Amino acid sequence: MDHATRLKRLKFRSWHRGTKEADLMIGGFFDAHGADWTPDQIDWFEALLEEQDVDIMGWAIGSLPCPPAWDGPMMQAMRSLSYVPVAR
């Protein structure tokens, strides 16, 4: 699959998780960072999307311990939560 198609597929999968909270967190993370990812980072994110939303969100907000396989620079970026829109 070519790079552009792969990113379009990831965008769709990121924004159609099943709950608004997961869509905002996972989709927002993709929108904020996905265009700059390397192929290895895209591989990581594709694999992450196979995990349960509740786990991904728990790892990102720190309410669940993050497994070593997922803990690294990408999860650190996800933990910033600066990409989630907050109404003020």
Side-chain angles (χ1 to χ4, degrees):
M1 175 179 332
D2 68 77
H3 185 74
T5 302
R6 198 171 174 198
L7 288 177
K8 285 179 188 177
R9 182 176 180 201
L10 283 176
K11 181 178 182 77
F12 181 86
R13 289 183 65 207
S14 297
W15 279 102
H16 294 87
R17 301 303 297 178
T19 66
K20 184 69 170 178
E21 295 83 359
D23 291 349
L24 288 171
M25 179 178 281
I26 298 167
F29 180 68
F30 175 81
D31 284 355
H33 301 286
D36 300 323
W37 286 340
T38 66
D40 287 341
Q41 290 171 315
I42 291 171
D43 290 344
W44 181 92
F45 191 70
E46 278 179 330
L48 181 73
L49 293 181
E50 297 301 320
E51 298 293 332
Q52 296 294 314
D53 293 343
V54 67
D55 292 332
I56 296 170
M57 294 173 64
W59 301 333
I61 63 173
S63 64
L64 294 174
C66 187
W70 299 115
D71 207 7
M74 294 280 284
M75 186 56 70
Q76 290 298 330
M78 188 174 251
R79 284 185 184 129
S80 76
L81 299 177
S82 61
Y83 50 86
V84 177
V86 177
R88 296 183 193 250

